[in-house]
Amino acid sequence: MADFTEEDAENAFLEAYNMPTGMPKHEALERVARMSDALGHLPLGVSCRIAMIDSAYYLSRYDLMLAPFAWCLGAEEKDPEAFNDYERHSLDWSHKWISTGLRRDPRFSLEQLQAVIGQLADRYGRLGYSVQPVHGARAEYAYHVGDLDGVREHLGRYLATESGPMADCDACVVEEQVWMLARLGRHSEAAGHGWEGLSGNTGCATQPQGILSALLWPLLEIGDLEKAAHAHTTAYRLIKDDEITSYVHEHIRFCALTGNLDRGEEILRRSLHKVTATQLPADEMSFAECASVLLKRLPADVGFDVPSVGTLTAAQLLDRLSARAVELAKAFDERNGTPAWTERVTKALEQADYPHVPLAVPVAAAPAPAEEPVVFGDPVDIATRMVELYESGDFVQARRMLDSLPADMDALLPPDLAAHAGIRRITSGLAPFEQEHFEALLAALPADMALRYRARMAVKLENGRELAQRCLAEATTDYTRTIAALSLAELLDEEHQHDQAGEMMALASSLDVPELRGRVLVQAAEHKARQQDLDGAYADVVAALAGDLPPNARFEGLRMRLRLETLQQRVPEALATAAAFVSSFPLPESAEARWYQVAAIQELDQEGACLAELREAVAVSRVHLSPGHTAHFCFALSGGYVQTNRFVEAAEVLEEALRLVQEGQEDLRLQIVFRLGQVCRTLDELPDAVKHLREAAALLPAEEVGRRAFLLDALASVLHRTDEHEEATATYRAAAELWQSEGNVSEAVGSLIELASALPGEAVRETRSALDDAEALLPSLDDLTEVTRRQAEIAAIRAFLHSQAGEYALAIKYNREAEALATSLSEDGWRTFLVVRSARVLLEAGDPEGSESEARRAATLLPDDSLVGEVLSALSDALGAQQKTPGTDPLVRALTARLS
């Protein structure tokens, strides 16, 4: 006699059932199954076996399904009543999994596999289910053994057969269709059907990542690289923490074949447990093959720490995995009697690369040859030529000369030329400015030339005005006088002493130094701009750019024209000027121009329209600018992704920005983490959203009250979604207080209403308190339309509270009040929603006739098709509660047709 009772066994089952997925759970369920058998407790035995089948599925251990599945078939013959509805459905559903498991394990014969598919067809036919899954299993079988004619035949039947309760969801059917069409080489069809199948929320745990993973190859084959990049980034973010399924293998291979080796290596390192711990032979073969494709393209000496193995180089790991992939392929072929898998694996290991696919975060741009390569020759001649070029305004060619003079060659130059080179490195940003070193370099130059450099540097120094005035007074040449006058004019304009600045501009113009005419013209336009004469400044800079300007004046002219067009919101002109600005100069000069281009794109709110330009800016900055610049450009690019609803790409580029942001860029870090928190919220990555928004709150200065209130509202909304209601309530309350301290009553009311809307149903007291506080603030609002909207929102929430409490009369009263307010706002959709809710409340109150009347009224109010399903459901329930047949009602039929 067993030393445990049925109660012991049932408690043990509940404990095992609630364990996390893994072999310990599966083994615990096995133990309980044996207990139930010992007790003769057939219903519990059924529950255990159904749970074991599910457990094996989530472990990808189809071999472990066989025994509990066979047991269930026997139990079903013995006593069908031992299965409840859920268990009966699970048994029918899992029959599909058995054929999958047998196919993907060469230890089982083709005869066994064919028999299981035959049994599946018999069972579904006998029970009246759609045979669509049977055709799917036969199509997969045909592909498995290399029978492409069979694939075509059964794929056609699969797609032509209507689905049913045992069919996979619509999205999974689309995924299967994409894989099969791609295997048949029908890539355009596969891409078209797959992309169309992504629309809408599937509600399936394996979608959309399944469709997106299947789409990688047809999209590459038809050359749609942008969609391929989107498919990879979106799918991988959804599966990156999935340690079991095989989708990730395709993404390793994708990165290998599209020039994204660093990312592929990162994904492989996260998957190294699969070297020894992949359970299903087909999955092991898939991983070994895809990893080998990547490893062939990595440096042979790259090291990998493989669990249970140790450190292996890429070459060693490649030898191990490629041999294993071929070994498993041969095992399948021996079972199947065809060479299909050996041929496929061999072909995969030899596959050529596709064109490079740029991903969400652009990599470094390929170095382009300079317009003039580094100059070789006598250092003295090169330095002399450099000085002449800078003085003539050709900073592009002068920079080529400067780049040809490494600092360690200065000792070979005459002291004056060495000083010129050292100073130009400082003014070009190649070396830091240090006052003492700068003065030492100037001491080696003639007095007038030293004054010229001092005057240029004056605009960057605290005592710049006095320094520029002294340089002007001591200058002995018109060239130096002009430089000093221009610097002094800029400094005076910054101090809003525009009349004196104008005198300096007049002096510079009167001196008429030929090499500086272009620079004087451009700065004269800028002088007008500083006096807010934007139209006059714009006309002048356009006229100046129409002439023959030296490169330095053209650079400043384009920069100024772009700034003016940005300030005046001349969007098409600004974007065209930005493109011309960047293309007018070679690297590295054009890299600096990109800073102004990106700033203009952001200020004009054109990130979404300029994704290509922003991506290129990120790539160029990786080579020619600082990591801080790249972080800023990544942030700008994330704005483009957000504006185009590409939130996965936005998250990835923001994460890169966060890695690159530098000390001293605290405000940029704040912007990055706040936007990343918002993006993670959109992606339902709620723990990360909370983390980033909390960091943003810690970074935000306390005196920035409005920004802090806005941030707290965002954080509170996420906290509610993570069921941290107490902290969320306090956070919403804090936001409302901050809005009131700013005098922004409207936003304070909004925070309180959001709080009331987000609280769980049982938090009645807190909800009513939030509504009361919001209502008390309404008299302070000036906008009557907003007051009406807020009153409607408050009334609708009060109606919900009374409905929850069973106070149906009050619920109807407040709901009608909300409806009247919504009507006055011409909010037809909201009004319809509220009428449907009245129908639901009346049905709960035991008044099905009144519920029917309200549902019919809602049908007359429908502004579009968005609420048809809600109205149809409410009307059908009201009719059913009166024992009326909904299917015969004309309105039900009309709504059903409209829904279809």
Side-chain angles (χ1 to χ4, degrees), residues 505-525:
M505 291 304 308
L507 173 60
S509 180
S510 69
L511 293 171
D512 194 27
V513 176
E515 299 91 339
L516 296 174
R517 284 172 188 159
R519 182 172 172 187
V520 171
L521 286 173
V522 171
Q523 192 160 334

Side-chain angles (χ1 to χ4, degrees), residues 579-638:
F581 194 5
V582 168
S583 63
S584 295
F585 302 93
L587 291 167
E589 287 78 15
S590 66
E592 183 179 349
R594 288 188 185 277
W595 178 259
Y596 301 105
Q597 179 190 36
V598 170
I601 289 170
Q602 288 183 286
E603 193 166 338
L604 294 168
D605 199 27
Q606 292 295 305
E607 295 98 316
C610 296
L611 281 172
E613 292 84 351
L614 294 172
R615 290 173 59 83
E616 192 173 351
V618 172
V620 167
S621 72
R622 290 186 184 277
V623 177
H624 297 283
L625 297 173
S626 69
H629 282 90
T630 306
H632 183 94
F633 290 175
C634 282
F635 179 74
L637 177 57
S638 76

Side-chain angles (χ1 to χ4, degrees), residues 611-843:
L611 281 172
E613 292 84 351
L614 294 172
R615 290 173 59 83
E616 192 173 351
V618 172
V620 167
S621 72
R622 290 186 184 277
V623 177
H624 297 283
L625 297 173
S626 69
H629 282 90
T630 306
H632 183 94
F633 290 175
C634 282
F635 179 74
L637 177 57
S638 76
Y641 287 136
V642 168
Q643 287 181 3
T644 53
N645 295 321
R646 294 166 61 173
F647 294 105
V648 171
E649 288 98 329
E652 293 211 353
V653 80
L654 285 166
E655 287 164 353
E656 178 69 2
L658 202 52
R659 285 190 286 269
L660 294 171
V661 71
Q662 304 292 293
E663 186 176 347
Q665 291 184 297
E666 282 72 22
D667 190 64
L668 177 59
R669 177 182 288 276
L670 167 61
Q671 294 178 67
I672 291 168
V673 293
F674 178 66
R675 181 176 287 172
L676 184 53
Q678 295 279 59
V679 168
C680 288
R681 177 175 68 170
T682 302
L683 294 172
D684 282 333
E685 298 174 1
L686 300 183
D688 285 337
V690 170
K691 179 184 74 173
H692 295 307
L693 291 173
R694 279 180 172 152
E695 181 180 354
L699 289 169
L700 187 61
E703 61 270 18
E704 295 194 39
V705 177
R707 287 178 77 187
R708 176 168 290 278
F710 183 78
L711 194 159
L712 291 179
D713 274 334
L715 175 58
S717 71
V718 183
L719 289 168
H720 265 307
R721 290 173 63 186
T722 55
D723 295 328
E724 298 176 64
H725 299 299
E726 186 174 340
E727 184 181 353
T729 299
T731 305
Y732 267 131
R733 288 281 186 184
E737 290 174 8
L738 289 173
W739 286 125
Q740 287 184 74
S741 71
E742 277 266 286
N744 195 332
V745 178
S746 174
E747 292 292 349
V749 171
S751 296
L752 292 167
I753 290 178
E754 282 186 39
L755 167 60
S757 301
L759 282 164
E762 62 271 16
V764 176
R765 181 181 300 175
E766 293 88 343
T767 304
R768 285 179 173 159
S769 173
L771 293 175
D772 291 342
D773 291 345
E775 210 161 35
L777 292 174
L778 292 182
S780 301
L781 295 177
D782 297 325
D783 187 335
L784 294 180
T785 299
E786 182 180 7
V787 171
T788 302
R789 181 177 304 280
R790 295 306 192 186
Q791 287 174 331
E793 291 171 341
I794 291 169
I797 298 171
R798 291 195 189 281
F800 174 78
L801 288 176
H802 288 298
S803 174
Q804 289 287 98
E807 299 165 350
Y808 301 117
L810 286 172
I812 291 295
K813 171 182 176 296
Y814 280 107
N815 207 70
R816 293 208 188 285
E817 180 182 325
E819 183 197 342
L821 293 166
T823 302
S824 72
L825 293 167
S826 299
E827 292 278 2
D828 295 337
W830 191 8
R831 181 188 179 189
T832 305
F833 169 80
L834 290 167
V835 175
V836 171
R837 197 163 72 175
S838 286
R840 291 292 185 190
V841 172
L842 288 168
L843 189 61

Side-chain angles (χ1 to χ4, degrees), residues 27-71:
E27 290 164 354
L29 289 169
E30 282 186 313
R31 288 193 292 272
V32 181
R34 290 194 291 272
M35 292 170 67
S36 66
D37 293 346
L39 291 167
H41 193 338
L42 187 59
L44 181 59
V46 169
S47 299
C48 287
R49 267 63 179 211
I50 294 296
M52 288 167 65
I53 293 171
D54 282 344
S55 169
Y57 174 77
Y58 289 111
L59 287 168
S60 280
R61 289 291 304 275
Y62 292 84
D63 55 315
L64 296 179
M65 292 182 191
L66 295 176
F69 180 76
W71 188 96

